[in-house]
Amino acid sequence: DTAVSQTPKYLVTQMGNDKSIKCEQNLGHDTMYWYKQDSKKFLKIMFSYNNKELIINETVPNRFSPKSPDKAHLNLHINSLELGDSAVYFCASSPDYGLAGVKTQYFGPGTRLLVL
Amino acid sequence: AQSVTQLGSHVSVSEGALVLLRCNYSSSVPPYLFWYVQYPNQGLQLLLKYTSAATLVKGINGFEAEFKKSETSFHLTKPSAHMSDAAEYFCAVSDLAGGTSYGKLTFGQGTILTVHP
């Protein structure tokens, strides 16, 4: 059973289109994340949700909008795609972010987005 | 603010040789430190983590790392490299929850490990 899954695995689209990437975790975790890995393999956090509530929102363009319908899902919608959005997007989850300390984050396989 | 620096974007070793991947961190609070591995076209897999218990941490696949506060380092080692260790390795730091960072991971630039026969 896949712990953190993402769909699609590959996404090729034209500039200006709107696309969504879905993420689901079956680990019962409370916190989910989106990371972006650019062409130089640099990984940077974009968003984090805890129990469907946004808790981290890094300096990401408004064209990116995360949506969490329930704590097992965190989807990423991207409007008006630009060439610079081409990257690998990773979803991750962890038990919680609470005061007991940081818990391990488990990553999905990634979605490779190519904007033409 | 936290940051991670991995010295050397590429490390090449012979099979059976010692693997040493360097990681230095900067954090204003006691850090939690992680090493992740990424095989080609795959997601990140946790190798090991330091969470303020023992300073020498053992992980999967024979890897270990030592937390040295005085040197702000968390270098990853393996006594004998295997061909299957070829991958990209990421060091990451996270501060204690309760601050504004809420447990987010800050990653280093990654180190590609090549293993020669």
Side-chain angles (χ1 to χ4, degrees):
Chain A
D1 286 343
T2 304
V4 182
S5 59
Q6 296 179 227
T7 54
K9 194 170 183 179
Y10 298 95
L11 183 55
V12 181
T13 187
Q14 299 287 333
M15 262 175 38
N17 284 350
D18 303 338
K19 291 293 178 185
S20 291
I21 306 172
K22 295 185 177 182
C23 178
E24 177 181 2
Q25 54 93 4
N26 63 6
L27 298 167
H29 289 168
D30 297 310
T31 308
M32 296 184 73
Y33 311 79
W34 276 110
Y35 288 85
K36 179 180 180 181
Q37 186 178 43
D38 62 24
S39 58
K40 295 182 179 179
K41 296 295 190 73
F42 184 60
L43 265 163
K44 188 171 181 182
I45 191 165
M46 301 173 69
F47 301 103
S48 177
Y49 270 72
N50 182 264
N51 279 321
K52 302 192 297 177
E53 181 182 347
L54 181 66
I55 55 172
I56 294 176
N57 186 348
E58 294 294 290
T59 51
V60 178
N62 292 337
R63 299 181 294 103
F64 290 79
S65 53
K67 286 185 171 52
S68 183
D70 55 62
K71 74 173 192 177
H73 295 83
L74 179 62
N75 303 323
L76 183 65
H77 188 75
I78 314 171
N79 290 326
S80 302
L81 278 156
E82 299 178 356
L83 294 177
D85 297 332
S86 296
V88 183
Y89 293 84
F90 287 101
C91 177
S93 72
S94 68
D96 66 55
Y97 71 94
L99 295 177
V102 173
K103 303 300 191 296
T104 299
Q105 292 182 26
Y106 296 84
F107 285 76
T111 295
R112 285 146 187 83
L113 171 65
L114 178 59
V115 182
L116 301 175
Chain B
Q2 307 165 99
S3 66
V4 175
T5 301
Q6 291 182 237
L7 297 175
S9 58
H10 289 81
V11 170
S12 181
V13 300
S14 298
E15 194 172 18
L18 171 71
V19 175
L20 171 60
L21 305 181
R22 299 177 187 275
C23 172
N24 288 89
Y25 70 91
S26 171
S27 177
S28 58
V29 296
Y32 287 162
L33 293 157
F34 303 79
W35 275 100
Y36 283 86
V37 60
Q38 185 179 25
Y39 297 101
N41 297 317
Q42 293 188 28
L44 281 80
Q45 180 182 1
L46 180 71
L47 273 179
L48 49 81
K49 64 180 178 180
Y50 166 76
T51 57
S52 74
T55 56
L56 182 62
V57 181
K58 294 187 183 299
I60 62 171
N61 301 339
F63 283 93
E64 61 182 38
E66 186 172 8
F67 172 70
K68 292 186 177 181
K69 184 179 178 181
S70 60
E71 298 177 7
T72 60
S73 69
F74 190 57
H75 301 330
L76 181 70
T77 60
K78 182 173 180 178
S80 176
H82 293 164
M83 297 295 289
S84 60
D85 294 327
E88 187 156 14
Y89 292 80
F90 292 91
C91 182
V93 63
S94 181
D95 65 1
L96 290 172
T100 57
S101 297
Y102 294 105
K104 72 176 183 180
L105 288 174
T106 300
F107 284 89
Q109 311 93 307
T111 298
I112 296 173
L113 175 66
T114 303
V115 182
H116 297 290

